[in-house]
Amino acid sequence: MKKAIYLFFTVALFYACHEKVESVVEENPQIKALVPQAQANKFGIVIHGGAGSIEEKGMSDSTKVAYEKKLEEAIRTGYAILENGGTAVDAVRETIKIMENSPLFNSGKGAVFANDETNQLDASIMNGKTLEAGAVAGVTKVKNPIALAYEVMVNSPHVLLYGEGAEEFAKKQGIELVDPSYFRTEKSYNALQRVKAAEKKKKANNKTAFYNEFIHNSKYGTVGCVALDKNGNLAAGTSTGGMTNKRWNRIGDSPLIGAGTYANNKTCAISCTGWGEYFIRGVAAYDVSALMEYGGKTLKEAAKTVIHEKLPSEGGGGLIGIDAKGNMVAGFNTPGMFRATMNDQGKLEIAMFGAN
Ligand code: ASP
């Protein structure tokens, strides 16, 4: 009994001191500068599977379960890497691959169709420790564009490769290529036919009316992942088929560093989803980081500012983020966003609808 009481007080004292030390470090910038790894054992991961008109009333139970299962499988894949001391970059890449291999999302297998009935895929990844980044755009035969983006980052002197050149590089790096028909799903093909029919009804030059129709009747479905590893390093990645009915080799925000993806150990890691043109013009992912770095905002405040104040209301979408302390955010201005988080305690949260 005596032993147990002694043990209890020792443990209580340890935790009391630990908290105290943390708050002393937090409150004193000079001390904080001396212990950059003070939060080093924190880690966490956030994923999204796209934002848009994702509403409970429009979704069958079986569809909901399918999304939940896949989101869980994906986030647990990255989580296991982080828990075992792996890097944030590896966690992001492997997590995104799981979602790319699923027809549920607008990335990899489930990519949407462009106007010419091809699937043109974009992806990017960024390492917050080194600020290195890799991206690919307009690839039509790469099974996992995020894996190719990773190769661009670590095994090429470039950041962004496009189209056939990117596929040549994929071959050289031994990245799996597939026949373009691999990406055809009836769901995406039918969505293209619906959008084309809606477009016909609108005046050809009425861009806003057309896209409003598109946004309110569809979801984006791009996938993304951000992670903080046990060494305090951040990473972000995003992968997409772009927007249904895109034309003229349109490239969205997802493969553009700063627009759809950004990571910097000084601030945060961000992956965006939504109407890409607005995210490009707003340099949205970097804007969250800049608001933290230069504006002194927290991750939560910065994300809120970008989503709800800086993006125009017609620029529908959302973003996920994680900062160097393991704070996580998943926000959007659309009815819903597929999302999940896991913190270093292994607490898993999956959500699709409602408030953010
Ligand atoms: N942001 C992507 C794009 O514009 C689409 C999405 O997020 O689903 O290409």
Side-chain angles (χ1 to χ4, degrees):
M1 185 63 187
K2 243 184 176 177
K3 249 189 180 172
I5 294 173
Y6 177 73
L7 191 69
F8 172 78
F9 280 110
T10 311
V11 171
L13 190 66
F14 171 78
Y15 277 105
C17 290
H18 187 66
E19 286 213 336
K20 192 105 201 239
V21 168
E22 276 203 345
S23 74
V24 168
V25 171
E26 275 309 303
E27 284 156 22
N28 292 281
Q30 280 129 334
I31 296 179
K32 206 173 168 189
L34 296 174
V35 282
Q37 297 298 311
Q39 303 283 349
N41 55 353
K42 289 235 163 158
F43 66 100
I45 182 164
V46 189
I47 61 173
H48 72 74
S53 59
I54 301 157
E55 286 170 284
E56 198 149 22
K57 62 176 161 39
M59 195 182 285
S60 70
D61 285 349
S62 60
T63 305
K64 192 170 168 240
V65 169
Y67 276 106
E68 279 170 352
K69 271 189 158 171
K70 198 45 79 177
L71 289 168
E72 180 167 353
E73 182 191 341
I75 200 164
R76 284 198 186 280
T77 301
Y79 187 83
I81 293 171
L82 298 172
E83 198 179 23
N84 287 308
T87 67
V89 167
D90 286 346
V92 163
R93 186 194 61 236
E94 294 307 310
T95 300
I96 289 181
K97 269 160 79 176
I98 300 283
M99 293 190 277
E100 284 179 340
N101 291 343
S102 163
L104 290 174
F105 305 101
N106 170 20
S107 72
K109 174 73 185 148
V112 298
F113 276 88
N115 179 272
D116 64 0
E117 304 199 344
T118 62
N119 306 96
Q120 304 164 12
L121 288 71
D122 306 332
S124 65
I125 191 163
M126 185 162 185
N127 182 338
K129 181 184 176 190
T130 59
L131 302 188
E132 288 168 319
V136 293
V139 293
T140 58
K141 297 181 204 137
V142 178
K143 186 177 178 204
N144 292 111
I146 195 70
L148 183 55
Y150 173 82
E151 286 299 320
V152 174
M153 176 170 76
V154 298
N155 285 319
S156 92
H158 305 302
V159 171
L160 173 60
L161 302 184
Y162 174 73
E164 282 174 17
E167 281 163 355
E168 233 173 79
F169 178 68
K171 262 187 227 157
K172 189 173 160 293
Q173 296 307 117
I175 290 285
E176 186 173 354
L177 297 179
V178 290
D179 188 86
S181 62
Y182 164 81
F183 299 107
R184 184 190 165 106
T185 61
E186 288 317 297
K187 187 179 83 170
S188 296
Y189 188 75
N190 293 340
L192 174 66
Q193 305 315 321
R194 276 200 310 277
V195 173
K196 279 187 170 176
E199 188 183 37
K200 256 191 203 159
K201 281 198 218 146
K202 307 279 169 196
K203 283 190 202 135
N205 62 356
N206 193 345
K207 186 177 84 170
T208 305
F210 161 61
Y211 273 111
N212 280 345
E213 167 98 0
F214 171 64
I215 283 162
H216 293 301
N217 291 311
S218 67
K219 51 188 179 293
Y220 295 107
T222 288
V223 305
C225 177
V226 295
L228 168 68
D229 66 31
K230 285 184 175 176
N231 288 316
N233 294 318
L234 293 166
T238 311
S239 179
T240 189
M243 286 173 81
T244 298
N245 201 31
K246 63 185 181 181
R247 287 186 170 89
W248 308 302
N249 293 349
R250 176 261 190 194
I251 295 170
D253 60 314
S254 306
L256 302 185
I257 298 302
T261 302
Y262 190 72
N264 186 337
N265 275 8
K266 271 195 205 164
T267 53
C268 60
I270 301 291
S271 168
C272 301
T273 176
W275 186 350
E277 278 69 8
Y278 287 93
F279 286 75
I280 294 171
R281 289 191 280 249
V283 201
Y286 178 71
D287 201 17
V288 177
S289 172
L291 284 167
M292 291 175 72
E293 187 173 358
Y294 309 121
K297 287 192 189 276
T298 64
L299 172 64
K300 203 170 165 192
E301 290 164 349
K304 194 170 168 212
T305 303
V306 169
I307 300 162
H308 297 290
E309 290 171 31
K310 301 190 84 176
L311 276 177
S313 56
E314 68 269 31
L319 59 84
I320 53 168
I322 189 165
D323 69 14
K325 293 179 194 160
N327 296 309
M328 300 184 273
V329 74
F332 45 94
N333 63 9
T334 47
M337 180 168 81
F338 295 110
R339 59 202 187 274
T341 59
M342 259 184 113
N343 67 12
D344 56 2
Q345 304 302 305
K347 186 172 170 219
L348 168 69
E349 283 182 322
I350 299 179
M352 300 175 197
F353 319 112
N356 53 98

